[in-house]
Amino acid sequence: YNREWNIKNIDRHSIFCSQAGYPIKGFHFMLKALEILKDIYPDIKLFVAGPNIIDKSSLTKRLKITGYANYIVKLIKKYKIEDKVIFTGILKEQDMAKRLQKTHIFSSNSILENESNSLSEAAILGVPAVVSYVGGIPDRVEQRKNGFLYPYTEYSMLVEYIRQVFDDDELAIKFSVESRKKALTRHDRVENCKRTIEIYKEIIEGKSER
């Protein structure tokens, strides 16, 4: 709530994904997009929050690696993007906010999604978003008003929308302003707290009447 995205202070051509640990987050689709984008933007970086799921630096880590993580390893090698994908490790609140502030685009590539807390956090900061059209995501992002929505399997469309934001600062700033404005209203701490208390009072009063 106390930080705000500013295009003058970002790492150009950087993308942030909040999860990659299991298939329904669709990280493999982002890697397919990254293969295309790396030839257009040689300096592109993809930051991924959470533990390094592909770390094989010790026997223990090799034993714990999942089938999906092995698939991700194969894709990264196949697409020659080893130097483009950066696992940040587990981030505390302030570190997450700082990373998002430096990010050019927030992207959620989920195959299934209910309510995306990560998208809401990015929106409060005003980070431009390119996200898959699933679950509750369309309640947060209005197409071309405060971000881009794409069908999760269509990674070529993901590429195109990322390109549009990368290449058009006015568009990125528009998405930032609109998403932050909408998010600060939806996630107003004072109003939400007030309404929650009102709901509890209504429930209690309703029970007492019966």
Side-chain angles (χ1 to χ4, degrees):
Y1 285 93
N2 299 319
R3 296 176 180 270
E4 187 172 353
W5 184 88
N6 188 321
I7 200 165
K8 295 178 181 178
N9 301 323
I10 63 170
D11 295 327
R12 289 274 172 175
H13 306 146
S14 63
I15 304 167
F16 182 85
C17 292
S18 61
Q19 291 194 48
Y22 50 117
I24 65 170
K25 292 302 178 181
F27 188 61
H28 47 292
F29 292 118
M30 173 53 78
L31 295 182
K32 292 174 187 290
L34 190 60
E35 180 197 16
I36 301 168
L37 289 162
K38 71 178 171 58
D39 294 327
I40 307 168
Y41 309 98
D43 62 339
I44 195 169
K45 297 291 182 185
L46 173 59
F47 292 90
V48 190
N52 185 346
I53 64 169
I54 63 172
D55 186 2
K56 296 184 178 182
S57 59
S58 70
L59 176 60
T60 302
K61 289 177 180 177
R62 288 196 295 274
L63 290 172
K64 287 183 177 180
I65 200 163
T66 65
Y68 181 67
N70 275 320
Y71 175 58
I72 294 300
V73 171
K74 290 177 182 178
L75 287 183
I76 289 174
K77 289 180 178 178
K78 177 182 177 181
Y79 299 149
K80 298 182 172 136
I81 51 177
E82 291 92 339
D83 62 332
K84 306 297 182 187
V85 181
I86 301 163
F87 288 88
T88 66
I90 296 172
L91 298 176
K92 294 182 180 179
E93 177 187 352
Q94 293 300 321
D95 295 326
M96 176 72 85
K98 288 177 183 177
R99 181 62 261 163
L100 283 168
Q101 272 188 292
K102 299 287 287 182
T103 299
H104 204 154
I105 292 173
F106 171 85
S107 189
S108 171
N109 319 112
S110 296
I111 296 168
L112 295 171
E113 193 73 63
N114 290 318
E115 165 69 25
S116 176
N117 290 331
S118 297
L119 173 59
S120 294
E121 290 170 355
I124 290 170
L125 287 162
V127 186
V130 179
V131 291
S132 56
Y133 193 102
V134 294
I137 299 294
D139 290 337
R140 298 290 180 266
V141 176
E142 296 180 60
Q143 184 73 325
R144 298 185 181 275
K145 181 177 180 181
N146 64 335
F148 280 126
L149 295 161
Y150 73 97
Y152 71 86
T153 58
E154 300 296 331
Y155 62 89
S156 58
M157 192 178 293
L158 172 61
V159 169
E160 177 55 29
Y161 286 155
I162 289 173
R163 286 189 63 183
Q164 287 188 38
V165 177
F166 276 174
D167 295 345
D168 188 341
D169 284 359
E170 288 187 10
L171 179 65
I173 292 168
K174 173 192 170 185
F175 284 175
S176 175
V177 171
E178 291 296 328
S179 62
R180 181 169 165 79
K181 181 169 64 175
K182 184 174 181 178
L184 287 175
T185 300
R186 181 182 291 274
H187 303 288
D188 186 305
R189 290 176 291 179
V190 175
E191 288 300 318
N192 288 347
C193 180
K194 179 182 175 182
R195 182 57 186 143
T196 301
I197 292 170
E198 287 174 352
I199 291 169
Y200 275 111
K201 285 182 177 179
E202 289 170 8
I203 293 170
I204 292 167
E205 289 169 3
K207 284 184 177 179
S208 64
E209 287 175 2
R210 290 193 297 272

